[in-house]
Amino acid sequence: MSKFNLTLILCFLFMSSGLFAQTITSKLVDAKTQKGIPYATVQYGKHQGVITNEEGRFSFILDETSTQDSIYISSMGYQKKGFALQQLQDSIITITPKAIELTGVYLFDKELDVDEIMERVEDRLPINYNKAPLKQRFFLRQSSFNTLQKMDIEFKKSTIAELDEHLIDSIISILPKNSSYYTETLGDYYQNGEENKLEIIKAAELYDKSNEGSMEALSDKMEAIFRANVKPDSYLKIKSGIFGDKVPVDSILENEEEAAEIQEELKKPEKNYFLGNRKYILSEITDQFFGKSKLDVAKKLNRYEYELLGYSELENQGVYVVGYAPKGRADFQGKLFVNIEDFAIMRMDYENVKTIKSIKLLGFSYQELKYFGSTIFSKFDGDKYQLKFMNFTFGRKMGVDRPLKVIEKNKHVKGRRKQNELSLALDIVNYNTEKYELVVYDSDVVAKTDFEALKEDETVKATYLSAYDPDFWKGYTIMEPNQAIREFVVEGE
């Protein structure tokens, strides 16, 4: 074969691969405000679509079997609009807000007042939503932010030379005041009643290891000092105010028997926290609607006042727009989007109107200050509604304002039992925000026998990234990252 012919073949293959696997990337903005439209639906095939991120960005992949030449975009408050694929080559596309008048388009049995609507919603709650075993292809992004609002550790006393005021001050100086952590997971989530199983296809973690390392360094430093200074038959008494607890030194100092047991454990396949943690998160956020969550709007309808605000459209279905506010001691306000035909809640927007929980006891404090988001349900290919999308933010503050003493005692030493003492005064306040974005791309009923036969990989791990890598998810359809994630980088790595 001549060099010329080989070049032609390589060029043809290169062009063909571009045709067969085309990645479409764009940003959706409001034509009037030029602001990105968050969490809009972009449909590019039958039962195929993505959700724009909080900035309006989206991307998807068209494979070789696709005959799609256009997409359709829909978002609450905007009329559904189609675009040719050629239009998406631009970095920005715009849509215009428009009120949707449904009267005369959808047939109503009769005009219902809001109380009648909500009575029908309550009657149909047990039958509108799927209860059969499910397999859902999902993408979950968790964004965690910690702010150390106060970190005062007052040195009082120490009889151990290494545990001095200089060490405490140096520890405070290296503790991070602000930190962020992002994790992204693509996988299949299986649900069967209260049971759930998870297969992770791919996952990434973005965070600064040095932030985590400073806390680990503190723990290691303190442990090393205690190892060197306490006697083998001593015990430590940890006191905070009127409370005290004995900690045997043996629980700190590893003996040979414990070391042997650890070595045996290391020979086994390594289990990882990641699978269990993702399962816990998915269970918590997917159970919000009916499970044991703080969000009680759909479970305790009698705790809220309702107002019919108008009509709109969601997934080509007419919906009542119902506003709700607390009646009595309820915690939330927001909107419900109720299907006019089957009275299913297709979308719920919610935000807390007061602090959900506040505990102050003997110097410890805990407050749940923020709880807001949106949840959307869809029928996919079935006749029952299932979770399609969730955007949820949870903010809480934790604090401790107490004295702390660590006392070494030994009853086998003549004289006083107290050998050494470290005395501190703690005044610490930390604010934590967790944001979850969950997209379900496909949902199928799965046989109970298939669910029971599924074996989970407990050794699965997320790939650590010290900087955002635009190629990490190449070939996969996910929700586009926001600007903060795109710009994330650990300095010095």
Side-chain angles (χ1 to χ4, degrees), residues 189-201:
Y189 185 52
Y190 297 79
Q191 300 176 74
N192 181 22
E194 294 184 357
E195 294 183 88
N196 58 75
K197 294 185 178 182
L198 177 59
E199 286 184 315
I200 293 177
I201 298 170

Side-chain angles (χ1 to χ4, degrees), residues 433-453:
T433 301
E434 300 285 350
K435 181 176 181 178
Y436 304 96
E437 296 167 293
L438 174 70
V439 183
V440 177
Y441 297 113
D442 195 16
S443 185
D444 296 303
V445 174
V446 64
K448 188 175 181 180
T449 52
D450 292 339
F451 175 86
E452 293 172 347

Side-chain angles (χ1 to χ4, degrees), residues 358-493:
S358 182
I359 300 172
K360 290 186 178 181
L361 180 65
L362 301 173
F364 295 100
S365 61
Y366 175 80
Q367 293 178 293
E368 295 177 354
L369 301 174
K370 292 182 179 180
Y371 198 102
F372 62 89
S374 295
T375 303
I376 298 176
F377 296 90
S378 175
K379 287 186 176 182
F380 292 92
D381 282 333
D383 58 355
K384 300 287 186 180
Y385 288 91
Q386 303 160 25
L387 179 64
K388 178 182 179 181
F389 170 76
M390 177 179 289
N391 164 43
F392 164 53
T393 299
F394 179 40
R396 56 193 169 183
K397 180 187 286 188
M398 294 156 281
V400 57
D401 186 2
R402 296 182 60 81
L404 175 68
K405 288 185 178 181
V406 181
I407 303 170
E408 178 199 355
K409 290 191 175 184
N410 192 310
K411 62 183 178 181
H412 300 293
V413 177
K414 291 182 180 181
R416 296 178 61 191
R417 287 190 174 184
K418 184 167 73 171
Q419 305 298 303
N420 287 295
E421 177 181 342
L422 171 65
S423 180
L424 306 170
L426 306 180
D427 189 2
I428 303 170
V429 178
N430 185 69
Y431 191 88
N432 168 254
T433 301
E434 300 285 350
K435 181 176 181 178
Y436 304 96
E437 296 167 293
L438 174 70
V439 183
V440 177
Y441 297 113
D442 195 16
S443 185
D444 296 303
V445 174
V446 64
K448 188 175 181 180
T449 52
D450 292 339
F451 175 86
E452 293 172 347
L454 179 67
K455 301 296 183 183
E456 296 178 300
D457 180 6
E458 295 182 333
T459 67
V460 66
K461 294 181 179 180
T463 300
Y464 170 71
L465 300 175
S466 60
Y468 169 70
D469 180 2
D471 292 328
F472 182 82
W473 290 107
K474 190 174 183 179
Y476 296 91
T477 296
I478 66 164
M479 176 183 283
E480 280 290 287
N482 61 24
Q483 196 65 28
I485 297 175
R486 298 168 76 91
E487 295 176 353
F488 183 88
V489 62
V490 178
E491 299 295 333
E493 289 198 19

Side-chain angles (χ1 to χ4, degrees), residues 102 108-126 128-129 297-298 301-302 304-312 318-324 335-347:
L102 296 181
F108 294 81
D109 291 335
K110 65 173 184 175
E111 290 293 332
L112 301 176
D113 62 35
V114 70
D115 291 331
E116 291 174 313
I117 293 170
M118 295 312 299
E119 285 175 7
R120 298 192 184 191
V121 167
E122 189 168 25
D123 289 342
R124 294 190 60 86
L125 276 174
N128 270 330
Y129 301 90
V297 178
L301 297 176
N302 61 334
Y304 292 89
E305 301 277 3
Y306 300 95
E307 179 185 3
L308 181 59
L309 302 177
Y311 309 95
S312 190
V319 291
Y320 299 104
V321 182
V322 178
Y324 63 91
K335 295 178 182 178
L336 303 176
F337 299 84
V338 178
N339 189 293
I340 66 172
E341 295 180 355
D342 57 25
F343 296 93
I345 297 175
M346 296 183 65
R347 171 172 169 164

Side-chain angles (χ1 to χ4, degrees), residues 7 13 15 69 124 129 160 210 242 274 306 317 331 337 356 359 369 422 436 479:
T7 303
L13 290 174
M15 290 186 293
D69 58 2
R124 294 190 60 86
Y129 301 90
I160 300 176
S210 65
I242 62 174
F274 190 75
Y306 300 95
Q317 299 287 312
D331 296 321
F337 299 84
I356 295 176
I359 300 172
L369 301 174
L422 171 65
Y436 304 96
M479 176 183 283

Side-chain angles (χ1 to χ4, degrees), residues 19-64:
L19 291 172
F20 289 152
Q22 185 180 9
T23 300
I24 306 296
T25 301
S26 192
K27 181 179 181 180
L28 179 67
V29 302
D30 185 297
K32 293 184 177 179
T33 66
Q34 295 300 304
K35 292 182 178 180
I37 300 175
Y39 311 125
T41 298
V42 181
Q43 185 176 351
Y44 57 89
K46 185 179 182 182
H47 307 303
Q48 290 182 304
V50 294
I51 304 290
T52 64
N53 73 0
E54 61 192 278
E55 299 167 343
R57 297 180 183 275
F58 68 92
S59 69
F60 58 88
I61 300 168
L62 290 178
D63 59 29
E64 67 275 7

Side-chain angles (χ1 to χ4, degrees), residues 179-193:
S179 60
S180 56
Y181 166 83
Y182 304 97
T183 180
E184 300 177 326
T185 309
L186 179 70
D188 291 322
Y189 185 52
Y190 297 79
Q191 300 176 74
N192 181 22

